[in-house]
Amino acid sequence: MSKLSRRQILVFFAGSAGAAVLGDKIIDSVSNIAEAKIAPLRFTPVRLPHPLPIYQELNSYLPTGIEKGEVRKASGDAKLNSYTVIDDVVVPPEYDRYVIVRWGDRVFPNDYDYVGYNCDHTSFISIDRDLNPDPSINKNDGYLFINHEYVSYPIAEFAPETPSDIKGKGFPTAFASVIGWSLPGERNIETDGEFLYNVGTSIIRISRRNRSNRSDKFQVVKDSNNRRIHGLSGLGINSQRSDEYKNVTAWGSRPHQQGDQNYLIGTGPAATEVFTISADGLGNKIIGTAYNCSGGTTPWGTVLTAEENFQGSAEFFVGVTESVKPDGTQPSYTDATVGKTFGLVGEKYGWMVEIDPADANFRPRKHSWLGRFRHENIAMRAEAGKKLIGYMGDDRRGGHTWKFVSTDTVSDPTDKNNSKLWESGILYVARYNPDGTGRWIPLLIDTSSDPIAPSVLSEKEFAALGSAQRNGLIKLPRRNGIAGQTTDGGAFNCDRTNEATALPDYQGKKLSDFYKNQGAILCDAFLAANLAGGTPTARPEDLEVHPLTKEVFIAYTDGAPGSDGYPDSRIFQVAKLSTDPNATQQSGGLYKIIEDSTDATGLTFRWEKFKQGGEAGSETGAGFANVDNLVFDFRGNVWGVTDMSTDTHNGFSIGATGTPNTINHTASGNVSSFTGVFGNNWLFFIPTVGPNAGTVIPFAQGPVRCEMTGPTFVGDTLVISVQHPGENCPVNDGTILNRTIEMLDLDGKTFNQTRTVPRGSSWPSNISTEDGGKNDPKGFPIPSVIGIYRKDGKGRFI
């Protein structure tokens, strides 16, 4: 197999710009930490189902039950012939985990309000200044900010995309038992409203400030600032309308279902040029924030929450209209969606939203200079005397990598007036070149159109397999008279079959030939970026700025093309391009951008790829699949989580049947089912210095069918969400699934493993009451935010 050298690993993680490599050390002004004495690994890696090199070097912890396990000695044979999956958050034996807050908890001044569903991003805003005035140091009392991304079964039987073999079969659902009252038995305005209420954000004060042991557990504190900002916040402003939605100001009779005046506002060109002509007639007033995935925390104490999958359809109905006309407004409401139920115009969703957790009087705002697309997160550079920089990703197949540069400069990074800097600047999209260079293309009204041809995007797959998925699809704005189209608005599909006749109509023009103004461009940023020549990428799930080198680490989660587009196959692995069992797999990868300008305002950069996702026995395989959120600890080490699709976990499809997915290592093309070898989603640690630098080390494994998201370090505690345990499967009733899975050993040869896994989840109901559970092995699975801490941490996490 092709393996990176020690030198390559150190350069990638410790910083390539201006660094000198001497033996195993990186030596320069910012990374001399590598010269320091490095302690050996202070935890026992969790044993996962698949082989990893670390298991040959270090002992590992194999879970055998809830809070039970055994230490396995390191061995040259890293494979396991059988593996039983445990429905718990499994952490090393040196650590413990507990629930801080969960879906349905009533922790707000209004007793009817409750914490939303699928928790995702977390942020912590410290207010504990009694010991030290620096809020970055005091981590014992503050506001926990939580995103809620979407709703899914078992919240209700008619949640979006509930499997057909569950609907109408009498399987239990969680809403009534957790919330305390029942939803109507079918979709109506109340169910649509309650689903929108369950997305958005929760702001909750947590503390351990008055405890003598600062390593004790965080607990929720009553606070007047505890509040929900959800998908229908501000619904009361519908009363100001003159259309049929004038009387749609509530979704039920309960107090929390009454529309209020807590609307949001927009900033930038979309607010002044598009929202003023929106069909709702509400101008720059916006009802709610929803579909909230990841985000970022500013140095001045606000949170930017990302609106991601806002696109509505008949099946995925908790959404709005995504497509827009040349003026930036939606063509119409999309039938059968919550957008049509409540009159939510599509152009007002899909933004980056700023909220101040500590100030309930701060009206949340959607910053249109940050673009409208399927936002995953934002990573910032806020340095005194320099422009404010924001890096972002568009999490869709063929989505882009973005940079925002403010017009004005930062004076004091902790000054809350910095929020104004998001309101004026330039949004850029990345253009990757195969030679490792790149440039930032501004998304401005006078930018030239120069889309990458589908035959170029797909050339590597086409050369290897004689065909390309989706024929190298790239989506471009549909315009009357362009490429034979007769209507305006939405997307035109350009691919290898029609590019010869269609693409010339899109070349050699300006964005002003397709959009009426700057606001309209920002409302249609995904298509406008394709038009301008931005590189379609492999679903950028997370971007983080390294605290020392300022290089931008990017988690691209999956290179497979889809209905939104085709990632550039010259840059990303879009398929398994050979029938060799150990050929490179497509499961995303870890990349980084190195800006050519020291302040990140320049238009050119270099890019590097660390490792491709896939089994460790595959060519260039990192030993993980579908890497998602990243975070750096105080030493600059990398932590990451995986986001493998629920319908591939442990090699079984979703639903009641639990049908085994085909896993055949001699297959080529789209091999997404390969992620079944990895088991549940998990949390990994990559040291950036020391003897294990660059090694993927498993730290925790999540419950059945869950996703671990939003890791945030709060002093000696890692706060992390456990999203959708038991998603789209019946609640755990003791049914066990068994199968044989074909896997790769570290030598690239296949072997078979017997895998045993519960069909569904009961986490955290199945854990102890001391840790936030109910000791109920068949209780309901509940999305939650947890804390993980070292038992003898003495103030440090690791």
Side-chain angles (χ1 to χ4, degrees):
M1 270 66 68
S2 172
K3 300 297 180 185
L4 293 179
S5 69
R6 173 78 171 166
R7 182 185 186 282
Q8 288 173 308
I9 291 171
L10 286 170
V11 168
F12 186 89
F13 284 107
S16 57
V21 182
L22 180 61
D24 284 354
K25 295 178 181 178
I26 298 293
I27 302 174
D28 68 5
S29 61
V30 297
S31 53
N32 54 21
I33 187 173
E35 293 186 282
K37 182 179 179 181
I38 304 298
L41 192 67
R42 297 181 65 237
F43 67 87
T44 307
V46 168
R47 191 63 178 259
L48 301 175
H50 60 286
L52 286 170
I54 196 66
Y55 300 143
Q56 296 177 320
E57 304 170 14
L58 299 176
N59 294 346
S60 58
Y61 178 70
L62 178 68
T64 58
I66 304 296
E67 294 191 277
K68 297 178 181 178
E70 59 185 42
V71 175
R72 290 288 188 98
K73 291 187 176 181
S75 170
D77 185 358
K79 66 179 182 295
L80 296 174
N81 293 322
S82 64
Y83 193 91
T84 299
V85 174
I86 305 302
D87 185 29
D88 191 14
V89 176
V90 178
V91 296
E94 298 86 0
Y95 289 76
D96 202 356
R97 85 283 177 260
Y98 65 96
V99 175
I100 298 175
V101 69
R102 78 206 75 205
W103 169 51
D105 283 355
R106 286 179 162 80
V107 293
F108 305 102
N110 179 350
D111 289 338
Y112 283 87
D113 280 322
Y114 60 88
V115 175
Y117 201 62
N118 280 330
C119 45
D120 201 299
H121 175 72
T122 66
S123 289
F124 181 82
I125 304 299
S126 174
I127 55 175
D128 183 4
R129 298 171 180 263
D130 58 338
L131 300 179
N132 190 304
D134 185 347
S136 67
I137 295 176
N138 293 287
K139 301 292 186 179
N140 298 300
D141 191 354
Y143 292 106
L144 174 65
F145 183 97
I146 310 169
N147 277 355
H148 305 291
E149 185 178 5
Y150 65 105
V151 294
S152 54
Y153 184 86
I155 189 174
E157 189 173 274
F158 41 85
E161 300 181 320
T162 298
S164 58
D165 65 353
I166 287 179
K167 288 183 178 180
K169 302 300 190 295
F171 290 107
T173 55
F175 189 92
S177 295
V178 173
I179 304 303
W181 49 274
S182 297
L183 289 172
E186 59 185 4
R187 272 194 66 192
N188 59 16
I189 190 171
E190 182 174 11
T191 57
D192 280 9
E194 210 60 29
F195 284 168
L196 272 174
Y197 176 85
N198 269 278
V199 295
T201 70
S202 294
I203 299 165
I204 303 158
R205 186 173 174 180
I206 60 173
S207 180
R208 57 185 179 184
R209 153 179 203 169
N210 296 320
R211 298 175 178 273
S212 58
N213 180 4
R214 292 287 182 165
S215 292
D216 211 340
K217 300 175 180 178
F218 280 102
Q219 293 184 332
V220 173
V221 175
K222 289 184 178 180
D223 191 292
S224 59
N225 276 329
N226 289 359
R227 62 196 187 278
R228 289 294 319 280
I229 304 173
H230 51 78
L232 290 175
S233 289
L235 183 64
I237 63 174
N238 263 353
S239 64
Q240 302 171 22
R241 297 170 70 155
S242 58
D243 58 14
E244 67 270 28
Y245 293 102
K246 180 179 178 64
N247 297 319
V248 182
T249 58
W251 64 95
S253 59
R254 293 175 173 82
H256 76 286
Q257 297 173 331
Q258 309 307 302
D260 56 34
Q261 296 297 310
N262 297 324
Y263 59 88
L264 292 76
I265 58 173
T267 72
T272 58
E273 297 172 346
V274 180
F275 299 169
T276 51
I277 59 171
S278 292
D280 61 8
L282 295 173
N284 196 29
K285 296 178 180 178
I286 306 169
I287 297 170
T289 178
Y291 333 109
N292 306 77
C293 191
S294 186
T297 306
T298 69
W300 55 92
T302 62
V303 176
L304 292 174
T305 172
E307 296 182 331
E308 189 190 7
N309 285 305
F310 61 94
Q311 70 284 2
S313 64
E315 178 67 19
F316 195 75
F317 61 85
V318 184
V320 296
T321 301
E322 180 176 25
S323 62
V324 297
K325 298 179 293 187
D327 65 3
T329 64
Q330 67 176 23
S332 63
Y333 295 105
T334 300
D335 289 340
T337 64
V338 296
K340 188 167 185 177
T341 302
F342 294 100
L344 309 178
V345 291
E347 62 268 21
K348 293 186 175 181
Y349 303 90
W351 300 100
M352 195 63 73
V353 187
E354 188 175 19
I355 295 173
D356 188 342
D359 183 2
N361 294 318
F362 179 93
R363 190 173 292 281
R365 54 212 56 184
K366 303 191 179 187
H367 293 302
S368 69
W369 265 118
L370 298 181
R372 176 177 175 262
F373 45 85
R374 299 177 197 172
H375 282 277
E376 177 69 25
N377 85 315
I378 185 167
M380 288 161 267
R381 287 185 61 174
E383 303 165 38
K386 298 181 180 180
K387 308 279 190 181
L388 177 62
I389 309 294
Y391 294 98
M392 298 167 287
D394 182 357
D395 182 12
R396 75 176 91 203
R397 301 187 189 278
H400 302 96
T401 307
W402 302 85
K403 178 174 76 171
F404 166 83
V405 179
S406 67
T407 300
D408 295 324
T409 57
V410 176
S411 53
D412 175 1
T414 64
D415 186 348
K416 292 204 173 187
N417 288 318
N418 287 319
S419 291
K420 280 284 189 181
L421 297 178
W422 300 121
E423 299 181 14
S424 178
I426 298 177
L427 180 66
Y428 298 88
V429 63
R431 171 86 169 227
Y432 288 91
N433 299 318
D435 64 359
T437 64
R439 61 187 174 93
W440 296 105
I441 302 172
L443 220 63
L444 298 173
I445 196 73
D446 61 352
T447 295
S448 298
S449 61
D450 183 26
I452 304 175
S455 57
V456 174
L457 292 173
S458 60
E459 67 179 38
K460 190 169 182 179
E461 183 183 16
F462 194 86
L465 301 178
S467 63
Q469 300 166 74
R470 307 275 179 172
N471 284 309
L473 170 69
I474 185 171
K475 286 182 172 287
L476 299 167
R478 180 191 288 119
R479 296 294 181 263
N480 184 20
I482 299 292
Q485 300 302 293
T486 58
T487 58
D488 279 327
F492 168 75
N493 291 342
C494 183
D495 60 29
R496 295 179 71 104
T497 68
N498 63 11
E499 70 172 88
T501 56
L503 203 57
D505 281 359
Y506 286 98
Q507 296 171 323
K509 299 182 179 180
K510 295 184 179 298
L511 297 192
S512 58
D513 293 317
F514 298 86
Y515 297 96
K516 289 191 174 182
N517 49 51
Q518 183 65 51
I521 291 173
L522 296 171
C523 284
D524 206 24
F526 168 61
L527 295 183
N530 279 340
L531 182 63
T535 298
T537 72
R539 291 186 57 199
E541 286 265 20
D542 197 278
L543 296 88
E544 298 294 336
V545 177
H546 193 284
L548 297 177
T549 68
K550 305 305 179 183
E551 295 170 338
V552 184
F553 282 62
I554 309 173
Y556 287 108
T557 196
D558 188 359
S563 60
D564 283 310
Y566 187 104
D568 192 331
S569 64
R570 302 169 300 168
I571 314 297
F572 304 97
Q573 190 78 22
V574 300
K576 185 169 177 280
L577 301 180
S578 166
T579 57
D580 293 342
N582 66 337
T584 304
Q585 298 170 7
Q586 73 202 35
S587 304
L590 186 60
Y591 290 60
K592 73 175 179 182
I593 282 176
I594 308 103
E595 295 274 16
D596 289 332
S597 55
T598 57
D599 64 358
T601 62
L603 299 182
T604 60
F605 61 86
R606 290 172 292 120
W607 64 270
E608 295 177 2
K609 178 179 178 180
F610 170 55
K611 266 197 176 182
Q612 174 65 30
E615 294 170 84
S618 67
E619 289 286 342
T620 69
F624 55 65
N626 305 128
V627 58
D628 192 340
N629 301 139
L630 303 172
V631 66
F632 293 101
D633 63 22
F634 76 103
R635 291 181 177 175
N637 299 308
V638 178
W639 296 77
V641 294
T642 65
D643 182 13
M644 298 177 292
S645 177
T646 308
D647 62 0
T648 69
H649 286 191
N650 290 292
F652 292 99
S653 67
I654 54 175
T657 307
T659 304
N661 297 319
T662 299
I663 298 178
N664 175 13
H665 282 79
T666 63
S668 61
N670 189 334
V671 291
S672 60
S673 62
F674 277 14
T675 56
V677 307
F678 295 97
N680 297 352
N681 278 311
W682 47 290
L683 167 70
F684 60 83
F685 167 67
I686 302 179
T688 57
V689 294
N692 297 309
T695 304
V696 176
I697 303 176
F699 182 85
Q701 186 180 40
V704 171
R705 306 280 184 173
C706 91
E707 179 187 348
M708 302 181 77
T709 66
T712 300
F713 285 102
V714 185
D716 63 1
T717 298
L718 175 63
V719 174
I720 191 168
S721 295
V722 180
Q723 188 183 95
H724 62 70
E727 180 175 64
N728 288 333
C729 293
V731 176
N732 183 27
D733 59 2
T735 300
I736 300 296
L737 303 177
N738 295 276
R739 68 162 296 173
T740 297
I741 292 183
E742 181 183 275
M743 308 174 67
L744 286 180
D745 202 352
L746 296 179
D747 61 3
K749 297 179 181 178
T750 60
F751 72 97
N752 289 327
Q753 179 188 87
T754 301
R755 186 76 56 86
T756 302
V757 58
R759 179 178 64 174
S761 176
S762 288
W763 187 91
S765 299
N766 59 351
I767 68 175
S768 69
T769 55
E770 180 183 1
D771 289 328
K774 296 183 178 180
N775 287 312
D776 182 358
K778 296 183 180 179
F780 287 102
I782 303 174
S784 305
V785 176
I786 67 171
I788 301 175
Y789 66 98
R790 190 175 179 90
K791 294 174 183 176
D792 61 349
K794 299 179 181 179
R796 287 189 173 182
F797 182 76
I798 191 171

